[in-house]
Amino acid sequence: MIQLIEPAFYGTRMQQLSVPMDIGIPFPPPVNVEFTFIDLFAGIGGFRIPMQELNGKCVFGCEFSLHAQKAYNLNFGESPFGDITELDPTVVPKHDVLTAGFPCQPFSISGKMKGFEDTRGTLIYNVFQIIALHQPKVVFLENVKHLVHHDKGNTLKVIIKDLEELGYVVSAKVLNASDFGVPQNRERIIIIGHKTKKFDFTKLKTKPRQTLKNFLEQNANFEYLNEPYTLLADYKIQPSGLIFIGYRNKAIRKAGVRAGTENLSRVHKQPNRIYSSNGLHPALPSQETSGRFWIHHEGTVRKLTIKECYNIMGFPNEFKMINNTSELYRQVGNSVCIPMIKEIATEIKAQLL
Ligand SMILES: C[S@@+](CC[C@H](N)C(=O)[O-])C[C@H]1O[C@@H](n2cnc3c(N)ncnc32)[C@H](O)[C@@H]1O
């Protein structure tokens, strides 16, 4: 039976949303609670689904996009607090695990050697304040791979150093969603802190690579490519698992392109590239305009449907999608790959809780 839950409004600045509550909640809290967590920068709940599946109870959420709040409310029956910069950390309940897929905001650090105070004015500072006050057993952070290189590696170094100053043993690793059962080449940095133990990434169980074609819909309102394109007779699987099989016949990049190299993916702007459904899909971006990639599947060239985008992020079929197409696309591109988060959370539970 589907459980009906009254929405919980956290804090004082809750936005009232018009999501009807007399419909079933696909992801109610677990019955046998084994640990608690908070869901910062919650988006549409990519952390929350796998954490709940592992019997974690979410005791606080924070997300300022009204569209994402709507989707969150519809799927979890609760509305997150809004802007984290307006959050009084004392209203956050005690919790075992703090999760945050914090926005990849350009970071400038004052460098005054004041520890985490140096990050004041950035969103990670607000996360550190919650950690300082509540000292959760585990801190579980996620960000784009580029964080490793941002400001010549300084940004990541500061985040790790600050967590250490807050009393955590920290480990970090770049992981690829394609190693966890979804056909997407999506690399993300995962940072994990615990009070005494170092998280062992080598214990994560990986899965064989999947191919995109097994995650596609059979019947839908497909958007086919309706203009000239070139398919390569000679193509190969790239080490990443992508198969660049063709391109729209648009102008190629000029700078640094040698004659005879137009069959290489990098000379074609992202929205012009075509990838085979026999390989992986490139990482879904958070803006539809920056390129929903074309795929070559069963002799046709088309775009992924929104449902297929949610499939290759590992969202369960019961997940309720709300909002217009470009908003849905933004939300899923911003989210996390659920099977990868679930495997990490499983190991967090086994090693650290
Ligand atoms: C990278 S996404 C995280 C998505 C999430 N992990 C998920 O599974 O959907 C970052 C999120 O932070 C939210 N955000 C950005 N600034 C914020 C702020 N000041 N307070 C609260 N949320 C914020 C954005 O709206 C976005 O949904």
Side-chain angles (χ1 to χ4, degrees), residues 61-338:
C62 177
E63 165 58 55
F64 80 168
S65 149
L66 274 182
H67 294 297
Q69 285 186 358
K70 247 188 209 172
Y72 199 88
N73 195 316
L74 192 61
N75 282 285
F76 303 103
E78 294 175 359
S79 288
F81 180 88
D83 188 342
I84 197 169
T85 64
E86 297 183 4
L87 172 66
D88 169 2
T90 61
V91 307
V92 177
K94 273 240 158 289
H95 49 278
D96 297 315
V97 185
L98 176 148
T99 68
F102 56 103
C104 22
Q105 182 198 31
F107 222 77
S108 63
I109 292 155
S110 73
K112 290 189 182 132
M113 310 304 281
K114 287 189 182 161
F116 81 88
E117 285 285 326
D118 278 349
T119 59
R120 195 182 274 277
T122 68
L123 293 173
I124 195 78
Y125 176 76
N126 298 89
V127 177
F128 289 155
Q129 278 188 313
I130 297 172
I131 297 172
L133 183 69
H134 294 287
Q135 300 281 319
K137 287 182 189 141
V138 180
V139 175
F140 180 7
L141 308 178
E142 182 259 5
N143 210 286
V144 292
K145 182 190 172 191
H146 175 68
L147 186 72
V148 175
H149 308 290
H150 188 261
D151 191 16
K152 301 197 179 98
N154 189 43
T155 307
L156 178 60
K157 220 162 75 191
V158 170
I159 292 175
I160 291 176
K161 191 172 102 321
D162 291 350
L163 284 171
E164 287 169 351
E165 276 178 23
L166 287 166
Y168 290 83
V169 180
V170 182
S171 43
K173 193 162 194 263
V174 172
L175 300 175
N176 196 326
S178 65
D179 290 323
F180 297 91
V182 288
Q184 193 185 162
N185 180 38
R186 188 180 185 88
E187 291 185 291
R188 289 294 184 267
I189 180 149
I190 302 294
I191 305 168
I192 297 175
H194 181 262
K195 285 289 174 185
T196 53
K197 291 184 223 155
K198 200 171 175 78
F199 181 75
D200 184 356
F201 279 98
T202 66
K203 296 245 164 65
L204 293 176
K205 286 169 211 68
T206 56
K207 291 192 172 142
R209 253 187 204 168
Q210 298 282 335
T211 48
L212 180 61
K213 65 180 176 198
N214 298 330
F215 288 69
L216 300 180
E217 295 189 278
Q218 295 304 315
N219 299 304
N221 194 10
F222 297 123
E223 185 183 342
Y224 292 102
L225 181 57
N226 196 10
E227 61 181 60
Y229 59 88
T230 301
L231 287 181
L232 303 168
D234 182 25
Y235 57 85
K236 44 184 182 279
I237 302 191
Q238 295 166 7
S240 60
L242 296 170
I243 304 174
F244 175 70
I245 197 171
Y247 47 86
R248 290 156 85 191
N249 294 355
K250 304 265 178 192
I252 61 169
R253 290 185 201 283
K254 300 257 165 24
V257 175
R258 276 180 288 119
T261 62
E262 47 286 331
N263 59 343
L264 299 179
S265 56
R266 66 175 173 76
V267 305
H268 297 276
K269 292 188 183 131
Q270 189 167 294
N272 298 334
R273 299 179 204 167
I274 301 171
Y275 289 96
S276 166
S277 65
N278 289 319
L280 297 180
H281 194 274
L284 291 174
S286 57
Q287 281 178 355
E288 190 179 11
T289 44
S290 66
R292 262 169 83 185
F293 299 80
W294 294 98
I295 60 162
H296 181 253
H297 178 61
E298 293 177 344
T300 63
V301 176
R302 66 169 180 86
K303 285 187 173 179
L304 291 189
T305 64
I306 285 294
K307 176 76 179 81
E308 289 168 341
C309 292
Y310 279 72
N311 288 349
I312 69 166
M313 292 294 280
F315 275 81
N317 278 333
E318 315 86 78
F319 187 83
K320 289 183 176 157
M321 297 188 282
I322 189 170
N323 300 306
N324 59 39
T325 308
S326 61
E327 188 54 40
L328 282 172
Y329 193 83
R330 201 179 69 78
Q331 289 172 0
V332 77
N334 249 335
S335 191
V336 284
C337 217
I338 292 182

